[in-house]
Amino acid sequence: MKNILITGGAGFIGSHVIRLFVNKYPDYTVVNLDKLTYAGNLENLKDVENAPNYVFEKGDIVDEAFVFALFEKYAFDGVIHLAAESHVDRSIANPMEFIHTNVIGTVNLLNAAKTHWKDSSDKRFYHISTDEVYGSLGEEGLFTEETAYDPRSPYSAAKAGSDHFVRAWFHTYKLPVVISNCSNNYGPNQFPEKLLPLFINNIIHNKPLPVYGKGENVRDWLYVIDHVHAIDLVYHKGMVGETYNIGGHNEWKNIDLIRLLCKIMDIKLGREPGTSEKLITYVKDRAGHDMRYAIDASKIQEELGWVPSLQFAEGLDKTIDWYLDNPEWIKNVTSGEYQNYYREQYENR
Ligand code: NAD
Ligand code: TYD
């Protein structure tokens, strides 16, 4: 038996990681540590909540005493750290929260692992990060693991800071760490503040689709389950001290993706062609909006044999169907704090 700590397991990517680990590794006890912020939702884990090898612990990674006590209680063999504040727009409105959770919270976990892992030869601290730490690309080029860090939003600066601390704990204290930096994920259970679920939800309710600037920014989209398979591989087979970039080889200009989404939604909702596109509303650009992200994922492909398995058309279709089939989920997760936040942000645009 092994005890694995997964932080942020009630969130979008974390809930899919928990599901895979609980089902695939019955000899692991999977401990989900999550603060249940607006983005954390235990409904995401209904199907595994009674599994004998799953435990939920509500808590804050910023709370050092709590984190240390948890390591004491479970004697973890490994950590997969996903808990974070994750939305760029929120980081622009409230950067301090991002510094607390993403930087201090990560350092607390590193310190707890360092303190409790006397012999760390068979242990592993896996930090889940983002390609946004590399900054913004022009028309050409891809982010590789050697690309210099150049974060430009409070979110990416906080994630970059946490990556640096993880590497510092490896070099200074020999903590057995591994890091991956992934491109934009999409799929079921993503909180409807990120582009795709927000726009799907707005189309369903005939609300405006706020396109930032001219909609020319480019993102590299990866289906969340493909990311989760990469996480499984990196956790078990990745080399200690190494970094792996994960991406979808799937670049889309925002406006092209939004137009495609509108077309599919018209068909699925039985609306006249062109109905959803009429909802497109160009709004003030995001401050410091990174122009393009794109990942060179050849290292993880060559060294660990990972490639994205799902075609984008299929992934998008599955994602849209999931949101259409789960109106209760959308209602529940958007009923509280987020609604007020979104109303304020949107009214101020
Ligand atoms: P999310 O916002 O959906 O979920 C974050 C989870 O962390 C939530 O369950 C939340 O309750 C929890 N959390 C937040 N603050 C916490 C705290 N102080 N203590 C304990 N739990 C806390 O995020 P996501 O999109 O699932 O992203 C997960 C991780 O993957 C993040 O580290 C993010 O930077 C990284 N990542 C995300 C993407 C993406 O496209 N979503 C891409 C690359 C990397
Ligand atoms: P988002 O999903 O917030 O991810 P990230 O900023 O981390 O890449 O945004 C994806 C792209 O969509 C990004 O270029 C910003 C743009 N966007 C809009 O145009 N309108 C919106 O309402 C949102 C949320 C995002």
Side-chain angles (χ1 to χ4, degrees):
M1 287 300 289
K2 284 192 167 170
N3 289 350
I4 311 287
L5 172 64
I6 299 184
T7 70
F12 166 47
I13 303 171
S15 60
H16 292 287
V17 176
I18 297 259
R19 179 169 301 104
L20 180 106
F21 271 68
V22 166
N23 291 327
K24 186 169 171 185
Y25 301 108
D27 54 337
Y28 290 179
T29 296
V30 176
V31 179
N32 173 13
L33 161 57
D34 199 294
K35 186 182 170 184
L36 301 183
T37 68
Y38 78 95
N41 187 350
L42 288 177
E43 260 186 64
N44 294 345
L45 292 163
K46 274 249 166 292
D47 54 324
V48 293
E49 68 185 4
N50 295 320
N53 62 335
Y54 170 72
V55 183
F56 176 66
E57 290 274 359
K58 184 173 185 300
D60 188 340
I61 56 169
V62 179
D63 181 344
E64 186 184 7
F66 172 81
V67 169
F68 271 66
L70 206 68
F71 271 74
E72 200 64 51
K73 182 172 171 188
Y74 291 101
F76 294 117
D77 299 284
V79 176
I80 305 180
H81 173 37
L82 297 109
E85 287 292 337
S86 68
H87 188 41
V88 174
D89 292 328
R90 282 177 184 261
S91 83
I92 294 167
N94 184 13
M96 215 31 121
E97 186 97 38
F98 285 67
I99 293 156
H100 281 294
T101 291
N102 300 3
V103 183
I104 314 271
T106 300
V107 175
N108 276 339
L109 289 161
L110 289 167
N111 264 337
K114 166 178 164 274
T115 305
H116 286 88
W117 292 349
K118 298 290 178 243
D119 170 14
S120 64
S121 50
D122 59 344
K123 306 283 197 286
R124 173 144 301 203
F125 188 107
Y126 180 11
H127 178 60
I128 306 295
S129 194
T130 166
D131 62 352
E132 304 192 22
V133 298
Y134 297 121
S136 181
L137 289 165
E139 304 230 321
E140 299 288 315
L142 301 171
F143 296 134
T144 74
E145 289 79 1
E146 274 71 50
T147 304
Y149 273 35
D150 183 23
R152 295 149 57 102
S153 74
Y155 164 64
S156 55
K159 288 297 290 188
S162 64
D163 291 9
H164 289 319
F165 278 108
V166 173
R167 291 195 182 98
W169 260 241
F170 168 67
H171 289 291
T172 309
Y173 307 111
K174 310 289 173 241
L175 195 76
V177 309
V178 63
I179 300 180
S180 60
N181 295 80
C182 188
S183 64
N184 287 62
N185 286 213
Y186 71 98
N189 303 95
Q190 186 171 32
F191 194 84
E193 62 184 351
K194 308 275 166 56
L195 181 73
L196 278 169
L198 176 71
F199 279 32
I200 292 170
N201 192 30
N202 284 11
I203 291 171
I204 294 170
H205 297 288
N206 274 310
K207 284 168 73 186
L209 305 177
V211 178
Y212 297 164
K214 294 181 182 156
E216 284 175 351
N217 306 65
V218 173
R219 296 293 183 265
D220 173 358
W221 295 93
L222 179 68
Y223 193 62
V224 63
I225 303 299
D226 273 324
H227 186 192
V228 170
H229 288 143
I231 290 173
D232 183 17
L233 265 179
V234 173
Y235 180 73
H236 289 100
K237 305 232 165 78
M239 294 272 289
V240 165
E242 290 292 314
T243 294
Y244 298 88
N245 279 357
I246 305 169
H249 308 294
N250 181 37
E251 290 182 51
W252 283 84
K253 204 180 263 192
N254 288 343
I255 192 64
D256 295 339
L257 175 57
I258 291 160
R259 290 211 173 102
L260 173 66
L261 176 70
C262 287
K263 282 199 183 73
I264 301 172
M265 291 297 287
D266 283 346
I267 296 166
K268 293 208 184 261
L269 294 169
R271 294 180 182 166
E272 280 291 305
T275 308
S276 301
E277 268 203 43
K278 292 200 187 100
L279 300 169
I280 291 177
T281 311
Y282 290 92
V283 298
K284 196 164 151 252
D285 207 354
R286 172 188 280 173
H289 196 173
D290 288 339
M291 183 46 79
R292 177 172 162 257
Y293 304 140
I295 282 277
D296 175 347
S298 46
K299 177 176 172 181
I300 188 170
Q301 177 173 352
E302 282 158 22
E303 293 186 11
L304 304 183
W306 176 87
V307 281
S309 66
L310 209 68
Q311 292 296 314
F312 186 56
E314 195 187 334
L316 191 57
D317 199 62
K318 276 165 100 98
T319 303
I320 295 170
D321 284 347
W322 187 85
Y323 284 95
L324 289 173
D325 291 344
N326 289 279
E328 278 300 310
W329 183 91
I330 304 180
K331 203 167 136 226
N332 290 346
V333 302
T334 55
S335 61
E337 187 205 332
Y338 167 70
Q339 258 190 344
N340 299 330
Y341 168 85
Y342 181 68
R343 198 174 298 124
E344 271 168 37
Q345 293 301 304
Y346 197 65
E347 280 164 6
N348 290 340
R349 256 177 213 148

